[in-house]
Amino acid sequence: MKFAYKNQLGVLALFYLLVACNDSGNERPLGAYDTGVLIINEGAFGANDGEVFHLDPSTGILKENVFEAENNRPFAGLLEDIVLEEERLYLVANTGKVEIVNPGDFKSIGSVIGDLDIPRSLATAQGKLFISDYGPYDASFATPDSYIAVVSGLDGGTVKKKIEVSNKPEDLFTVGKYVFVAGSEEGKIEIIDAETETVIKTIEVDGRPVQFFEERGDLWVYAYDSEQVYFQSFHLSDLTKKEYRAFDISNATRSIAFGEDAKMYILTSTGWPDYNDGIAVVSINDGETLIPEWKTGSGFYGIGYDKERQEIYVANAKGFQGNGQVTVYSKSGAEVNTMEVGRGPSGFVFR
């Protein structure tokens, strides 16, 4: 079992376990969903039919609609992100809610419903939830009132505060008491002190920052524009910029998978009407574009990398015309498996 935490720097070095121990020291068997791959199916706009599928790669068994199966009710939202933190899974719906489940059996623990607009992701810090939210659209479909919602307690509840940030915040990452916010529309990294619940620093970066990740013990952020992709790391001692990489990859999207040896797999798309999609591979170790077109196709909508099995998962939304598809590749590019999944597959959580 791999405990993969998105928001706490350094915990990705936690070891693998075949069993987990409770506070009394007694061993407990792993839950049905403590291993394998969780597939995020975003769902279709209007239908709000987002759901989670579970794949056991060792057997090939795919279980559909996990949330509904374990809680006897549909998820009923557009599933934007899944975050594993504090022995909880947070299912973030951009239709205005967060569902919280136990990672082992997917049973509901709590939720944040109401007083959210368009939530995008989540981080935990100081026993609180910090939820990035675009805020409401105005008459011109802009989001001038974006914020980070704060909830006291890890099991959900009501929003007690909204911290104003730059437009369209995306990913969040916690380091100690600091919550880093990727402000995608204005190219800003805003840093929140989780104790005071205030923005204490803003760092400008190139492109649209959308995704944080850990590499070589440092915190990095991935950003992109129409012509290039950018990687920026930070000094955590004084919260300043550290290393910088830029690559000539055009038509990049927000979807990226973090491979081994600092290799990054980036989805590209020309968008409507052609939808010529691809996957580029770059290395932030040497600053080189390794393979500008590792795969090409149409309908690519999400990507993930399983470090344990060294396999790349590519989600295809199939134009949201019915169910989507996931194809699994080896590092060499050979196809390993293809499966039909739910509506709008967009991401993965590897356990």
Side-chain angles (χ1 to χ4, degrees), residues 184-257:
S184 67
E185 189 166 88
E186 300 178 53
K188 295 179 179 179
I189 304 300
E190 287 148 306
I191 303 173
I192 294 173
D193 185 319
E195 293 178 347
T196 63
E197 300 171 6
T198 57
V199 176
I200 62 167
K201 188 165 188 175
T202 299
I203 302 172
E204 294 188 357
V205 295
D206 291 335
R208 298 168 57 90
V210 290
Q211 186 72 48
F212 293 107
F213 63 98
E214 181 189 4
E215 182 64 38
R216 296 174 292 172
D218 288 333
L219 175 62
W220 290 76
V221 68
Y222 160 67
Y224 68 95
D225 59 28
S226 61
E227 300 297 331
Q228 290 186 305
V229 299
Y230 311 92
F231 296 89
Q232 175 75 62
S233 68
F234 304 93
H235 293 284
L236 299 180
S237 58
D238 58 3
L239 306 179
T240 58
K241 293 180 180 180
K242 188 177 179 181
E243 296 184 72
Y244 173 84
R245 304 281 189 273
F247 300 87
D248 293 329
I249 302 295
S250 60
N251 301 315
T253 71
R254 66 191 302 270
S255 296
I256 184 172

Side-chain angles (χ1 to χ4, degrees), residues 48-338:
N48 290 354
D49 54 352
E51 250 293 357
V52 181
F53 283 21
H54 175 264
L55 172 68
D56 182 342
S58 63
T59 64
I61 295 174
L62 182 68
K63 184 170 184 178
E64 303 180 359
N65 303 328
V66 170
F67 182 90
E68 182 173 10
E70 301 299 345
N71 295 285
N72 298 313
R73 59 183 173 90
F75 179 73
L78 296 179
L79 185 55
E80 181 65 34
D81 198 7
I82 296 181
V83 179
L84 175 60
E85 282 287 311
E86 305 283 356
E87 299 182 355
R88 297 161 176 83
L89 275 173
Y90 295 93
L91 281 61
V92 182
N94 65 24
T95 38
K97 69 174 182 176
V98 175
E99 294 275 5
I100 307 164
V101 302
N102 176 54
D105 59 17
F106 243 77
K107 301 295 185 183
S108 178
I109 295 173
S111 63
V112 181
I113 298 178
D115 212 22
L116 293 173
D117 293 284
I118 310 172
R120 303 292 293 177
S121 193
L122 178 149
T124 64
Q126 303 294 308
K128 308 170 189 176
L129 305 182
F130 292 81
I131 305 166
S132 56
D133 198 307
Y134 280 6
Y137 288 116
D138 64 15
S140 60
F141 294 98
T143 56
D145 298 316
S146 296
Y147 58 87
I148 304 300
V150 184
V151 177
S152 295
L154 301 176
D155 293 334
T158 59
V159 174
K160 74 165 188 174
K161 183 175 181 178
K162 294 182 178 180
I163 305 170
E164 182 180 348
V165 292
S166 60
N167 292 350
K168 292 184 172 57
E170 294 284 356
D171 196 28
L172 304 172
F173 200 108
T174 299
V175 181
K177 69 172 185 175
Y178 299 116
V179 179
F180 285 69
V181 181
S184 67
E185 189 166 88
E186 300 178 53
K188 295 179 179 179
I189 304 300
E190 287 148 306
I191 303 173
I192 294 173
D193 185 319
E195 293 178 347
T196 63
E197 300 171 6
T198 57
V199 176
I200 62 167
K201 188 165 188 175
T202 299
I203 302 172
E204 294 188 357
V205 295
D206 291 335
R208 298 168 57 90
V210 290
Q211 186 72 48
F212 293 107
F213 63 98
E214 181 189 4
E215 182 64 38
R216 296 174 292 172
D218 288 333
L219 175 62
W220 290 76
V221 68
Y222 160 67
Y224 68 95
D225 59 28
S226 61
E227 300 297 331
Q228 290 186 305
V229 299
Y230 311 92
F231 296 89
Q232 175 75 62
S233 68
F234 304 93
H235 293 284
L236 299 180
S237 58
D238 58 3
L239 306 179
T240 58
K241 293 180 180 180
K242 188 177 179 181
E243 296 184 72
Y244 173 84
R245 304 281 189 273
F247 300 87
D248 293 329
I249 302 295
S250 60
N251 301 315
T253 71
R254 66 191 302 270
S255 296
I256 184 172
F258 311 113
E260 296 175 279
D261 302 321
K263 291 180 180 177
M264 308 295 158
Y265 297 79
I266 303 166
L267 285 193
T268 65
S269 179
T270 58
W272 186 88
D274 300 322
Y275 287 105
N276 294 318
D277 301 337
I279 300 171
V281 185
V282 303
S283 170
I284 63 170
N285 270 345
D286 51 24
E288 293 184 0
T289 300
L290 302 178
I291 310 174
E293 291 188 336
W294 185 73
K295 291 291 176 184
T296 59
S298 178
F300 294 171
Y301 199 59
I303 190 167
Y305 187 86
D306 185 344
K307 291 187 176 181
E308 182 178 350
R309 301 171 185 85
Q310 298 185 341
E311 293 175 335
I312 298 92
Y313 283 61
V314 180
N316 194 313
K318 297 290 184 179
F320 287 86
Q321 302 301 307
N323 288 338
Q325 177 181 287
V326 169
T327 303
V328 184
Y329 297 97
S330 67
K331 287 199 303 182
S332 67
E335 184 175 320
V336 176
N337 188 17
T338 297

